[in-house]
Amino acid sequence: MKSQYRVVVIGGGVVGASVLYHLAKFGWSDVVMLERRRLASGSSWHAAGGIHALNADPNMASLQAYTIDLLSEIEKESGQNIGLHMTGGLTLAGTPERWEWLQANYRIFQSIGIDDCELLTPEEAQRRCPIMSTDGVLGAMWADREGYIDTTGTVQAYATAAKKRGAEYYEETKVESLTQTADGWQVVTDKGTITCEHVVNAAGLWAKQVGRMAGVELPVSPLKHHYLITDTVPEVAEAEFEMPMTVDLEGFTYMRQDQKGVLVGIYEVDHEHWAMDGAPWNYGEELFQEQLDRIENELTLGFERYPSIQNVGIKTWVNGAFTFSPDGNPLVGPVPGKRGYWSACAVMAGFLQGGGVGKTLAEWMIHGEPEADAWPMDVARYGDFAQNKRYIRETTGQFYSRRFVMTYPNEQLPAGRPLKMAPAHDAMTEAGCKWGVSWDLEVPLYFAPKGFEETPTLKRSNAHDIVAEECKAIREGVGLLDISGFSRFEVSGPNAEAWLDKVMASKLPGPGRAKLAPMLGETGRLKGDLTVLNWGDGTWWIMGSYYLRAWHMRWFDDHMMEGVTVRDLGEEYCGFAVVGPKSQAVIEKLAEQDISDLKFMGCGDFDIGLVRARVARMSVTGEKGYEINCRYGDHIKLRRMLLDAGADEGIRECGFNAMLSTRLEKSFGIWSAEFTQAYTPGMTGMDRWIDWDKDFVGKDAALAERDGNGPAQLQVTLEVDAVDADASGYEPIWSNGERVGFVTSGGYGHYTGKSLAMALINRDKAEPGTELTVHVVGVERPARVVTPSPYDPQGKAMRG
C-alpha cells in the first residue's frame, strides 16, 4: 500500500468495488479501495442478489439497465464466476387499483425504453411460475431482464477487474480517521497514513461513522430484513425451467429459485431499525435471530402464495441489515461543503444499482458531471434538516414499511412532518389549508372546507372542484399564494455582476429589473431555470425551486470567483404572491409608493403597509401578479394586511395545485419535469433566453446544438381527450403505433376546461395540429399538439 493515491475508496462491498472499477476503467488507475475486514463482509454477502431493470424513474431505470448489461462484462473481464441467472420476472397485482397502476406503469416503461415487458392474465402468469397460487391475482407484468446473481462472486469480480486495470485494494485495513487538507484528505488507517485528493464513502453499514470522520452527518440508517431459503421443493426440482423472480406486492414478498428450493424475502410492515449510529466496527458476517412474531402476517401470505413450500422445511433463515435513505434511493455525489469528499451510500439494491452508481460517481469525479441526470440519487437532494435522528428514523422506517405499499400521486405521507413551517402556517391551516412538503418546508396545496379529506387516487381527485374555484379566482379576481416555497439567494460583492454573467446563460437584467435565466453545465445541459433580480443597490437575487437549495449552492460554490458572496436566504425570507386582474388594486391600498410604476418584470423595495418588502412584478400563473418577499418575522402581518385589503375584491387564498394548473395553461415549464439535467436549452425552448454574444458556462456545447442539426425532440403542449384522469409524467406518446415522445408533466387546465400535457416529442411531430395519442393511467387517449399557451397566448394578462 502506497502513502499517496489520487482516490481512496472506503468500503469493500459491491458499491465500493464498482466505484473502484469504474474509476480505473475511465482512466484513473491511481486509486485504492480499503476494506476493514474482507470483501463483501457487510451487507453484500447476505443480500438476496435479485436484479431487474424496472424502475418508474427513467434515470434509475437506465442505471439499473446499465448494471445488468455490465454484469456479464465484468464476469468475462475478471474471470470470476458471478452465478448470473436470467430467469425473467413477474410483478403481481392483487387489487383493482394495483392492477390499474401496473397497467399505467407498463406504459411508462415503454416511454423510457424498457420494451421487454408484457401484461399477463393470472393464468398466463401461473404458466410462467407454476408453483404460484393465483388466488386474488388480477393480473401481472412480465419482464425478461430479471434474475439473480451470486453476491460474493460479483463483488470479487468487480474488484478483480479493477485490479487488472491498475487499481489496488486491501482487505483487513481499517480507516480510523479523516482530516481535510489544503490539497485533499489525509486518511489514517491501522496500516499507515495515506494522502489523497478524493475520498469516497462507500462504507455501507459503516457510512455513518465514515461520514462523521469528515464532519458529515449522512441521512442513512440500517434496518433489518428477512428472507428464508427452503429445502428442495419437488415441483421446483421437477420443472424444466427456473422459477422466475416473482414480486407479490399485496403479500409484501419476493421469491426466486435457489438451487432446487426457493428464496422468499419479506418487506416487513413492522420494520425495525438497528445501529442508527452505524454498525459496530467488529460486526461483519453475523446475522440476527429470525423474528417470526414480527413477520407472521407477511410470512403467512407468502406461504399462501406458494403452497408448495408449505410441505418442505426451511434450510436457512437470513435476518440481516441494509442501509436506507429517507426515500430509499442512494446518496451519491460530492457532499456539499466538503470538497473532495464523495458519497456512495444507502444503495439499498446494491447488486441492481451498484454498477450504475459506480459509473455515475466516476464520471462525476473525472469529468465534472455524470452522463445521466443523477438528481434522484444526488446526496444534495437533502439539506441539514435531514441530519436529525428522529427525521431519519421516521422517514427510513416509512419507506421500508411502504416498500410494496401503493403510493398515489396525490397522497401525502406523514413521516418527518411537519418540520419547517412558514410563520402564518397555523392561521392558514385554520383557514382550511391542506399541506404538501417541499424539502423540509410545508407548502400549501389548496384550501378546503372544514372536515374535507382528499381521497388518494390515480385519477382526478375529489379536490378537483376546489382547485377549479381557486383557478377561477386567479383568472377573474385575485388570489393569494404563500411563496415561502421559492428559493432565494443573495449575490453581492465587487465581482457579483461578472460572476452572474459567467454562470447564467442569459443577458443580465438592469437595475430594478428581473429576468429569466437558464444556467448550464459544461456539457450544455440545464442546471437551472432561474430568475435573476437586480435590486439596483449592488445586490442581486437568484430565485428558483426551494428543494434545490443545497444542490444549487453546491453548484455556485464549485464555480465561485473572488470578490463574490452568495448567501442562501431560505431561513430569512418568505412571502406571498398576489395574482389576478385585481391584484394591483389590492396592493395599491397598502403600498406607500406608486405601485403602478412597477412594470412587468420590474422589482424594487416597497413599503407594503407596515412591512418593508422586496417586490417583483411577475407570476408563474400567467396573470398580472406581484411577488412580495418579506422577512420571516413579517409573514403573519403581511398575510393579514393582504387579506384585509383584498376583502372588497373577493381575494381568495390559493395553493400550489392551482398554480400548477394555471402554469400548464400558459405552457410554463418547471424543474424536474420540463427542465432537468438531462435536457438542453434547444429541447426545452430555454435557448430563447440565451445571450449568444457573451461568454458563459456551457456556451461551446450550446452553440454546437444551435449550429448543428438541433435536438431530436422538442417541447410541445398537448390537448388530451381525457375523461376522468390526466397525464402526469412519462406517459408514452404515439403516432400511428410508433412511439414518438413522452409526457413531461400534465394535469387539468381548470380555466380553459382542457386536459393538458407538456411533452418532449420528435421534431417532425411537433407542429401544432398534429394528431397523436397518449396513454393516461394505462388507457390510450386521442391528443393533439396545440399552440403554446392555450390561455392568453399573447401574454396580455400578465403584462397589462
Side-chain angles (χ1 to χ4, degrees), residues 103-115 117 713 716 718-720 730-743 759-762 764-766 770-785:
Q103 293 174 82
N105 275 268
Y106 166 66
R107 296 300 178 180
I108 289 173
F109 293 144
Q110 288 183 318
S111 246
I112 59 183
I114 300 176
D115 295 317
C117 298
Q713 292 188 314
V716 300
L718 301 178
E719 182 182 332
V720 184
Y730 297 118
E731 294 92 344
I733 299 168
W734 309 89
S735 176
N736 298 318
E738 176 191 2
R739 192 171 69 244
V740 297
F742 63 95
V743 171
L760 279 171
I761 66 171
N762 296 349
D764 62 342
K765 304 297 180 184
T770 304
E771 294 290 336
L772 303 163
T773 62
V774 58
H775 276 88
V776 179
V777 193
V779 179
E780 194 168 7
R781 302 290 188 190
R784 65 208 57 84
V785 180

Side-chain angles (χ1 to χ4, degrees), residues 79-90:
Q80 168 72 47
N81 181 11
I82 65 170
L84 178 61
H85 295 248
M86 291 298 276
T87 63
L90 289 167

Side-chain angles (χ1 to χ4, degrees), residues 519-711:
M519 187 167 68
L520 310 183
E522 282 79 358
T523 60
R525 294 178 298 170
L526 295 174
K527 284 292 181 181
D529 64 321
L530 302 162
T531 303
V532 175
L533 301 95
N534 181 351
W535 297 110
D537 61 357
T539 63
W540 306 68
W541 275 16
I542 302 170
M543 294 185 69
S545 300
Y546 183 88
Y547 64 94
L548 299 176
R549 282 172 56 190
W551 186 70
H552 274 145
M553 184 57 88
R554 183 181 65 193
W555 180 260
F556 298 152
D557 286 342
D558 288 347
H559 293 78
M560 192 48 61
M561 66 170 61
E562 286 189 15
V564 181
T565 300
V566 179
R567 192 160 62 91
D568 185 346
L569 302 178
E571 308 305 316
E572 300 176 38
Y573 274 84
C574 53
F576 286 95
V578 183
V579 293
K582 297 181 181 180
S583 56
Q584 183 174 329
V586 174
I587 303 292
E588 283 177 335
K589 295 179 183 179
L590 296 170
E592 293 296 322
Q593 299 85 357
D594 188 355
I595 199 72
S596 66
D597 289 342
L598 192 64
K599 304 304 181 186
F600 179 62
M601 297 303 285
C603 63
D605 293 325
F606 285 81
D607 293 327
I608 306 298
L610 290 172
V611 173
R612 186 67 174 165
R614 307 208 95 165
V615 181
R617 194 184 144 188
M618 54 190 182
S619 167
V620 295
T621 66
E623 291 294 335
K624 188 172 188 176
Y626 301 83
E627 294 184 358
I628 307 171
N629 303 281
C630 66
R631 298 174 303 170
Y632 253 76
D634 295 332
H635 192 248
I636 295 172
K637 179 64 175 176
L638 180 60
R639 174 180 176 270
R640 288 176 181 172
M641 291 189 303
L642 291 169
L643 287 175
D644 288 344
D648 292 342
E649 310 296 341
I651 194 168
R652 177 171 182 146
E653 289 194 273
C654 304
F656 277 29
N657 286 8
M659 184 186 76
L660 291 172
S661 174
T662 52
R663 70 94 187 170
L664 277 174
E665 293 180 324
K666 289 295 297 173
S667 300
F668 290 164
I670 56 173
W671 195 261
S672 292
E674 285 67 51
F675 311 130
T676 78
Q677 297 177 88
Y679 306 154
T680 65
M683 295 169 67
T684 58
M686 290 294 280
D687 54 344
R688 68 185 181 275
W689 304 109
I690 290 179
D691 179 5
W692 298 103
D693 294 329
K694 71 169 191 175
D695 187 31
F696 55 88
V697 174
K699 182 177 181 179
D700 290 345
L703 278 172
E705 179 185 55
R706 186 195 72 174
D707 298 338
N709 296 325

Side-chain angles (χ1 to χ4, degrees), residues 142-212:
W142 171 268
D144 288 341
R145 286 159 57 82
E146 296 206 7
Y148 63 96
I149 44 90
D150 167 38
T151 57
T152 302
T154 301
V155 176
Q156 291 284 353
Y158 275 118
T160 302
K163 193 171 184 178
K164 286 186 174 182
R165 291 179 177 270
E168 300 175 26
Y169 69 86
Y170 295 93
E171 299 175 293
E172 305 293 344
T173 303
K174 179 176 174 287
V175 174
E176 297 184 330
S177 68
L178 299 172
T179 303
Q180 192 166 15
T181 66
D183 301 319
W185 292 86
Q186 184 181 74
V187 183
V188 177
T189 80
D190 59 359
K191 302 290 177 59
T193 299
I194 300 171
T195 59
C196 62
E197 184 180 349
H198 302 278
V199 168
V200 180
N201 181 349
L205 294 172
W206 298 267
K208 183 72 79 172
Q209 296 101 305
V210 174
R212 287 173 176 169

